[in-house]
Every structure is written in C-alpha cells, then in structure tokens.
Amino acid sequence: MLRTLQYIDIITFQRDLLEWYDQNKRDLPWRDNQDPYRIWVSEIMLQQTQVDTVIPYYGRFMAQFPTVFDLAAAEEQTVLKAWEGLGYYSRARNLQAAAKEVVASYAGVIPADPKALGSLKGIGPYTKGAILSIAFNMPEPAVDGNVMRVTSRILKIDDDIGVPAVRKKFEAVVRELIPESDPSSFNQALMELGALVCTPKNPLCTLCPVQAHCRAYEANVVSTLPVKSKKKPKKKIPYAVVLIQTASGNHVIEQRPDAGLLANLWQFPMVPVGEVGNDHIASWLYQEYGLALEHLKHVGALKHVFTHMIWELTVYTADLTDETIYDKRLKAVTSEALQTYPFPVSHQKMMHYIIE
Ligand code: SF4
C-alpha cells in the first residue's frame, strides 16, 4: 500500500462517500444513463467550463448530434456553431475528429480499451479515466484539478499540483481508493464532493460526509491545501477590431486560419495595435486586406481572457468606400447571415454595435 494511504480506512471511506453521493448527487442530463458517447461529450464540454453553462449546450448538442455517426458526418462549421460561446474550440474540433476515427476504425463503437481510447484526439488521461470508469465501470482514476484538491486535503498531500508530474502520484493514490464494485459512482462522488462540499474556497467541512477521514481537517490545515505554485501573469495583447459596413449595408467578416487559436472561426477584422497605435488602423487594413475605409469611429472596448493571455479589444465602426472585397480571407454578409457563422464570444459581444 502507498505510504500516503496508511492512515485511512479505505472501506469506510468508500462507504461514507458513496452513501452521501447516492443521496445528494445532482440530477444532471449526462447522468440519465451510461451511454459512452453521452458521457464523452459531457466530459469534453465540462473541461474548463461550469456545469450550469454546459447544461443548455449539452441538451442542444445531443439533440443535433444524437449519435457518434451524426457528429462524424456533420460539417465542421455546424459543429463549431453548436459550440459557439463555450470557448476552447479545439475541444469541438478534436471531438469531431475523434468521432470520425471511432466510426472509421471501431464501427462507431467507442472503445473500452484504455490504449485505444487514449489515442483518440482530445482524450487525455483525465477524460480517458472518466469515460472508462463512468461509462464502462472500470476501476480507472479520473484525476483533474478538482479531484486533486479533494484528495490532497483528505490525505494531507502537499505536493505542488501545478507540477504536471504530480498528477501521476494522485492517479496512483486514487487507483488504490476506487472500489471494484462501483468505480462509476466512486469517481463521480469524488468529483461531486469537490463541486458541492470540498470547494476551492470556504469548503463546507462541518457538513462533509468524509470529515472523519480527512487528515487536513484533523490537522487544521485545510486552507493551506492544495499547494499550487503561482502562474505567470497573462500576457496582454491589444487589438483594434473594426466593424466594417459596405455601401449596401453588409458586414465584413474574416475566417481565422485553420490551425491555432480559434481555428476556422469567423471574426471582424482585427488590427494589432501594440506597436503601431490606433492612428494606423485604416492604413494597416488597406495594406493587409486592400480595404479602403472612411468614417472610422471608436465605439467601445472589451477584454477577453484566455488560458495564457488576454485580448484587450478596442472596437471601431467604419464604412467601406469600395464595395468590392479582393482578399480571399474576407466576406461581406448580411445581418441575418452573420448569425449563421460561428464567432468567438468576444466578437459575438460586439455585434450589438451593428445590429439592433
Ligand atoms: Fe474537504 Fe473539509 Fe471534507 Fe476535508 S473535511 S474533505 S477539507 S470538505
């Protein structure tokens, strides 16, 4: 047995946690059954995203793509549109690429084999463990930041959870804790405890079903765990975004490159203003896209925070002097058509400047 586990009575801990889960689990749409496709989609959506935000997206996504075959056969732009607003769009692209692989290589049956499942795009160690345990009832750990926080407190583990290699230690610990009889409920119970009771700030220790097993509580060090090294401050990148209208009242939009950040999504033209300043917006757009503008007007500003950086966006409106658009990256579309393209959240938020 691992040294970290020598102070815990694993059997009673499992029993206390599972009894609490049985009586307190939230009624969530992906808990209706153990269909691996439904579990998979939910786990991808829940990465970096709150449950309350995911629920309506999940319902619409499952109605639009009820099976792995439907998702595999869909147009990428349709999938991105369904994901619009959820952020981290590479999740949607990887999910669809993996769905195509499941259809092509596994006849549409999601593999219950750890190696095969882990080789699919977008399925990392956590998601693999979650699908194997929740859908297939296999005793596999599913360790994310939430589970590391809970486990670090219960077992008083003070390794830095910001260090990637530390996850392996937690996986080994959780593997020992999972009961063979019900891995599905056990992993979900750990996650649920982290979401409802053992929260990052002000955990509800007095109401906690596993308080009797918790070494951090016993030693009065709950507030010091988990240990997490500070992240570097996010880099701020300023852009001017220009909402350009053509003479016939259409709007100029641009498709982002097919790789990298927000790949293949649509946006309003963005001008890097870090070095050149705002005076050069019109000349930059002319040089980059051949767009001749007039009536450039400042209308607002907003920020968008990504994992590693922040976009600081200053928003302008402008008119195009010439109806013709030569650059292949751009399109001029009507206000109605604008709604059918997938946009990142920051650009969706700007639409009210041009649409009543
Ligand atoms: Fe978390 Fe407090 Fe429960 Fe320990 S007693 S598991 S710190 S909520």
PDB file of all heavy atoms in Angstrom, residues 243-252 291 318-325 331-333:
ATOM      1  N   LEU A 243     -15.576  47.025 -37.156  1.00  0.00           N
ATOM      2  CA  LEU A 243     -16.854  46.527 -37.682  1.00  0.00           C
ATOM      3  C   LEU A 243     -17.141  47.325 -38.947  1.00  0.00           C
ATOM      4  O   LEU A 243     -17.567  48.484 -38.872  1.00  0.00           O
ATOM      5  CB  LEU A 243     -17.967  46.715 -36.650  1.00  0.00           C
ATOM      6  CG  LEU A 243     -17.626  46.244 -35.223  1.00  0.00           C
ATOM      7  CD1 LEU A 243     -18.735  46.602 -34.254  1.00  0.00           C
ATOM      8  CD2 LEU A 243     -17.370  44.747 -35.202  1.00  0.00           C
ATOM      9  N   ILE A 244     -16.851  46.717 -40.074  1.00  0.00           N
ATOM     10  CA  ILE A 244     -16.875  47.458 -41.336  1.00  0.00           C
ATOM     11  C   ILE A 244     -18.159  47.169 -42.104  1.00  0.00           C
ATOM     12  O   ILE A 244     -18.521  45.998 -42.297  1.00  0.00           O
ATOM     13  CB  ILE A 244     -15.660  47.051 -42.211  1.00  0.00           C
ATOM     14  CG1 ILE A 244     -14.360  47.257 -41.417  1.00  0.00           C
ATOM     15  CG2 ILE A 244     -15.642  47.836 -43.521  1.00  0.00           C
ATOM     16  CD1 ILE A 244     -13.146  46.592 -42.060  1.00  0.00           C
ATOM     17  N   GLN A 245     -18.786  48.247 -42.546  1.00  0.00           N
ATOM     18  CA  GLN A 245     -20.020  48.102 -43.317  1.00  0.00           C
ATOM     19  C   GLN A 245     -19.752  48.488 -44.769  1.00  0.00           C
ATOM     20  O   GLN A 245     -19.049  49.478 -45.022  1.00  0.00           O
ATOM     21  CB  GLN A 245     -21.080  49.027 -42.737  1.00  0.00           C
ATOM     22  CG  GLN A 245     -22.468  48.501 -42.969  1.00  0.00           C
ATOM     23  CD  GLN A 245     -23.472  49.127 -42.023  1.00  0.00           C
ATOM     24  OE1 GLN A 245     -23.344  50.299 -41.671  1.00  0.00           O
ATOM     25  NE2 GLN A 245     -24.471  48.355 -41.637  1.00  0.00           N
ATOM     26  N   THR A 246     -20.301  47.719 -45.683  1.00  0.00           N
ATOM     27  CA  THR A 246     -20.156  48.059 -47.101  1.00  0.00           C
ATOM     28  C   THR A 246     -21.260  49.067 -47.480  1.00  0.00           C
ATOM     29  O   THR A 246     -22.195  49.284 -46.697  1.00  0.00           O
ATOM     30  CB  THR A 246     -20.313  46.807 -47.992  1.00  0.00           C
ATOM     31  OG1 THR A 246     -21.660  46.361 -47.892  1.00  0.00           O
ATOM     32  CG2 THR A 246     -19.375  45.687 -47.571  1.00  0.00           C
ATOM     33  N   ALA A 247     -21.141  49.605 -48.693  1.00  0.00           N
ATOM     34  CA  ALA A 247     -22.123  50.609 -49.124  1.00  0.00           C
ATOM     35  C   ALA A 247     -23.536  50.038 -49.136  1.00  0.00           C
ATOM     36  O   ALA A 247     -24.517  50.735 -48.875  1.00  0.00           O
ATOM     37  CB  ALA A 247     -21.741  51.119 -50.514  1.00  0.00           C
ATOM     38  N   SER A 248     -23.667  48.726 -49.392  1.00  0.00           N
ATOM     39  CA  SER A 248     -25.014  48.131 -49.429  1.00  0.00           C
ATOM     40  C   SER A 248     -25.463  47.637 -48.048  1.00  0.00           C
ATOM     41  O   SER A 248     -26.472  46.940 -47.940  1.00  0.00           O
ATOM     42  CB  SER A 248     -25.034  46.987 -50.442  1.00  0.00           C
ATOM     43  OG  SER A 248     -24.044  46.045 -50.111  1.00  0.00           O
ATOM     44  N   GLY A 249     -24.695  47.955 -47.001  1.00  0.00           N
ATOM     45  CA  GLY A 249     -25.135  47.625 -45.641  1.00  0.00           C
ATOM     46  C   GLY A 249     -24.715  46.254 -45.145  1.00  0.00           C
ATOM     47  O   GLY A 249     -25.181  45.796 -44.100  1.00  0.00           O
ATOM     48  N   ASN A 250     -23.852  45.561 -45.891  1.00  0.00           N
ATOM     49  CA  ASN A 250     -23.361  44.266 -45.418  1.00  0.00           C
ATOM     50  C   ASN A 250     -22.167  44.452 -44.468  1.00  0.00           C
ATOM     51  O   ASN A 250     -21.598  45.532 -44.380  1.00  0.00           O
ATOM     52  CB  ASN A 250     -22.947  43.385 -46.616  1.00  0.00           C
ATOM     53  CG  ASN A 250     -24.166  42.911 -47.385  1.00  0.00           C
ATOM     54  OD1 ASN A 250     -25.270  42.863 -46.845  1.00  0.00           O
ATOM     55  ND2 ASN A 250     -23.976  42.579 -48.654  1.00  0.00           N
ATOM     56  N   HIS A 251     -21.793  43.359 -43.799  1.00  0.00           N
ATOM     57  CA  HIS A 251     -20.734  43.427 -42.792  1.00  0.00           C
ATOM     58  C   HIS A 251     -19.540  42.583 -43.231  1.00  0.00           C
ATOM     59  O   HIS A 251     -19.713  41.454 -43.701  1.00  0.00           O
ATOM     60  CB  HIS A 251     -21.257  42.909 -41.453  1.00  0.00           C
ATOM     61  CG  HIS A 251     -22.517  43.584 -41.035  1.00  0.00           C
ATOM     62  ND1 HIS A 251     -22.540  44.854 -40.510  1.00  0.00           N
ATOM     63  CD2 HIS A 251     -23.818  43.191 -41.130  1.00  0.00           C
ATOM     64  CE1 HIS A 251     -23.784  45.204 -40.280  1.00  0.00           C
ATOM     65  NE2 HIS A 251     -24.587  44.210 -40.648  1.00  0.00           N
ATOM     66  N   VAL A 252     -18.343  43.120 -43.005  1.00  0.00           N
ATOM     67  CA  VAL A 252     -17.137  42.412 -43.436  1.00  0.00           C
ATOM     68  C   VAL A 252     -16.660  41.501 -42.302  1.00  0.00           C
ATOM     69  O   VAL A 252     -16.437  41.956 -41.174  1.00  0.00           O
ATOM     70  CB  VAL A 252     -16.024  43.411 -43.819  1.00  0.00           C
ATOM     71  CG1 VAL A 252     -14.753  42.667 -44.238  1.00  0.00           C
ATOM     72  CG2 VAL A 252     -16.499  44.329 -44.942  1.00  0.00           C
ATOM     73  N   LEU A 291      -8.510  47.107 -47.973  1.00  0.00           N
ATOM     74  CA  LEU A 291      -9.793  47.732 -47.630  1.00  0.00           C
ATOM     75  C   LEU A 291      -9.607  49.244 -47.465  1.00  0.00           C
ATOM     76  O   LEU A 291      -8.781  49.677 -46.653  1.00  0.00           O
ATOM     77  CB  LEU A 291     -10.318  47.168 -46.302  1.00  0.00           C
ATOM     78  CG  LEU A 291     -10.688  45.677 -46.273  1.00  0.00           C
ATOM     79  CD1 LEU A 291     -11.026  45.250 -44.846  1.00  0.00           C
ATOM     80  CD2 LEU A 291     -11.869  45.391 -47.207  1.00  0.00           C
ATOM     81  N   ALA A 318     -16.672  51.421 -39.116  1.00  0.00           N
ATOM     82  CA  ALA A 318     -16.149  52.163 -40.280  1.00  0.00           C
ATOM     83  C   ALA A 318     -16.965  51.787 -41.501  1.00  0.00           C
ATOM     84  O   ALA A 318     -17.664  50.755 -41.520  1.00  0.00           O
ATOM     85  CB  ALA A 318     -14.681  51.818 -40.512  1.00  0.00           C
ATOM     86  N   ASP A 319     -16.884  52.616 -42.526  1.00  0.00           N
ATOM     87  CA  ASP A 319     -17.559  52.325 -43.801  1.00  0.00           C
ATOM     88  C   ASP A 319     -16.511  52.022 -44.857  1.00  0.00           C
ATOM     89  O   ASP A 319     -15.409  52.575 -44.830  1.00  0.00           O
ATOM     90  CB  ASP A 319     -18.392  53.528 -44.253  1.00  0.00           C
ATOM     91  CG  ASP A 319     -19.529  53.799 -43.283  1.00  0.00           C
ATOM     92  OD1 ASP A 319     -20.087  52.819 -42.768  1.00  0.00           O
ATOM     93  OD2 ASP A 319     -19.825  54.986 -43.032  1.00  0.00           O
ATOM     94  N   LEU A 320     -16.915  51.172 -45.777  1.00  0.00           N
ATOM     95  CA  LEU A 320     -16.019  50.813 -46.873  1.00  0.00           C
ATOM     96  C   LEU A 320     -16.333  51.726 -48.066  1.00  0.00           C
ATOM     97  O   LEU A 320     -17.499  51.888 -48.420  1.00  0.00           O
ATOM     98  CB  LEU A 320     -16.303  49.347 -47.235  1.00  0.00           C
ATOM     99  CG  LEU A 320     -15.268  48.575 -48.017  1.00  0.00           C
ATOM    100  CD1 LEU A 320     -13.957  48.480 -47.253  1.00  0.00           C
ATOM    101  CD2 LEU A 320     -15.789  47.159 -48.289  1.00  0.00           C
ATOM    102  N   THR A 321     -15.284  52.301 -48.641  1.00  0.00           N
ATOM    103  CA  THR A 321     -15.549  53.221 -49.753  1.00  0.00           C
ATOM    104  C   THR A 321     -15.829  52.463 -51.047  1.00  0.00           C
ATOM    105  O   THR A 321     -16.462  52.973 -51.957  1.00  0.00           O
ATOM    106  CB  THR A 321     -14.342  54.163 -49.982  1.00  0.00           C
ATOM    107  OG1 THR A 321     -13.208  53.341 -50.210  1.00  0.00           O
ATOM    108  CG2 THR A 321     -14.104  55.061 -48.797  1.00  0.00           C
ATOM    109  N   ASP A 322     -15.327  51.242 -51.130  1.00  0.00           N
ATOM    110  CA  ASP A 322     -15.456  50.472 -52.364  1.00  0.00           C
ATOM    111  C   ASP A 322     -16.155  49.155 -52.023  1.00  0.00           C
ATOM    112  O   ASP A 322     -15.771  48.468 -51.085  1.00  0.00           O
ATOM    113  CB  ASP A 322     -14.023  50.213 -52.883  1.00  0.00           C
ATOM    114  CG  ASP A 322     -14.023  49.348 -54.124  1.00  0.00           C
ATOM    115  OD1 ASP A 322     -15.115  48.970 -54.582  1.00  0.00           O
ATOM    116  OD2 ASP A 322     -12.924  49.039 -54.615  1.00  0.00           O
ATOM    117  N   GLU A 323     -17.176  48.793 -52.736  1.00  0.00           N
ATOM    118  CA  GLU A 323     -17.976  47.592 -52.416  1.00  0.00           C
ATOM    119  C   GLU A 323     -17.188  46.296 -52.614  1.00  0.00           C
ATOM    120  O   GLU A 323     -17.445  45.286 -51.978  1.00  0.00           O
ATOM    121  CB  GLU A 323     -19.236  47.593 -53.294  1.00  0.00           C
ATOM    122  CG  GLU A 323     -20.238  46.493 -52.999  1.00  0.00           C
ATOM    123  CD  GLU A 323     -20.988  46.736 -51.688  1.00  0.00           C
ATOM    124  OE1 GLU A 323     -20.978  47.873 -51.160  1.00  0.00           O
ATOM    125  OE2 GLU A 323     -21.576  45.801 -51.179  1.00  0.00           O
ATOM    126  N   THR A 324     -16.211  46.328 -53.505  1.00  0.00           N
ATOM    127  CA  THR A 324     -15.519  45.086 -53.853  1.00  0.00           C
ATOM    128  C   THR A 324     -14.507  44.685 -52.782  1.00  0.00           C
ATOM    129  O   THR A 324     -13.754  45.519 -52.278  1.00  0.00           O
ATOM    130  CB  THR A 324     -14.745  45.261 -55.184  1.00  0.00           C
ATOM    131  OG1 THR A 324     -15.552  46.036 -56.047  1.00  0.00           O
ATOM    132  CG2 THR A 324     -14.426  43.940 -55.805  1.00  0.00           C
ATOM    133  N   ILE A 325     -14.516  43.376 -52.458  1.00  0.00           N
ATOM    134  CA  ILE A 325     -13.543  42.849 -51.496  1.00  0.00           C
ATOM    135  C   ILE A 325     -12.660  41.857 -52.239  1.00  0.00           C
ATOM    136  O   ILE A 325     -13.161  40.908 -52.841  1.00  0.00           O
ATOM    137  CB  ILE A 325     -14.285  42.176 -50.315  1.00  0.00           C
ATOM    138  CG1 ILE A 325     -14.983  43.265 -49.508  1.00  0.00           C
ATOM    139  CG2 ILE A 325     -13.345  41.388 -49.448  1.00  0.00           C
ATOM    140  CD1 ILE A 325     -15.850  42.752 -48.407  1.00  0.00           C
ATOM    141  N   LYS A 331     -15.253  38.161 -46.241  1.00  0.00           N
ATOM    142  CA  LYS A 331     -16.565  38.031 -46.874  1.00  0.00           C
ATOM    143  C   LYS A 331     -17.403  39.206 -46.418  1.00  0.00           C
ATOM    144  O   LYS A 331     -17.207  39.690 -45.293  1.00  0.00           O
ATOM    145  CB  LYS A 331     -17.275  36.790 -46.319  1.00  0.00           C
ATOM    146  CG  LYS A 331     -17.283  35.595 -47.196  1.00  0.00           C
ATOM    147  CD  LYS A 331     -18.175  34.530 -46.582  1.00  0.00           C
ATOM    148  CE  LYS A 331     -17.986  33.260 -47.370  1.00  0.00           C
ATOM    149  NZ  LYS A 331     -18.790  32.188 -46.845  1.00  0.00           N
ATOM    150  N   ALA A 332     -18.355  39.633 -47.263  1.00  0.00           N
ATOM    151  CA  ALA A 332     -19.333  40.628 -46.808  1.00  0.00           C
ATOM    152  C   ALA A 332     -20.676  39.915 -46.727  1.00  0.00           C
ATOM    153  O   ALA A 332     -21.115  39.298 -47.704  1.00  0.00           O
ATOM    154  CB  ALA A 332     -19.405  41.790 -47.787  1.00  0.00           C
ATOM    155  N   VAL A 333     -21.293  39.959 -45.549  1.00  0.00           N
ATOM    156  CA  VAL A 333     -22.546  39.202 -45.364  1.00  0.00           C
ATOM    157  C   VAL A 333     -23.624  40.102 -44.777  1.00  0.00           C
ATOM    158  O   VAL A 333     -23.328  41.109 -44.121  1.00  0.00           O
ATOM    159  CB  VAL A 333     -22.328  37.978 -44.433  1.00  0.00           C
ATOM    160  CG1 VAL A 333     -21.341  37.004 -45.040  1.00  0.00           C
ATOM    161  CG2 VAL A 333     -21.877  38.400 -43.049  1.00  0.00           C
TER     162      VAL A 333
END
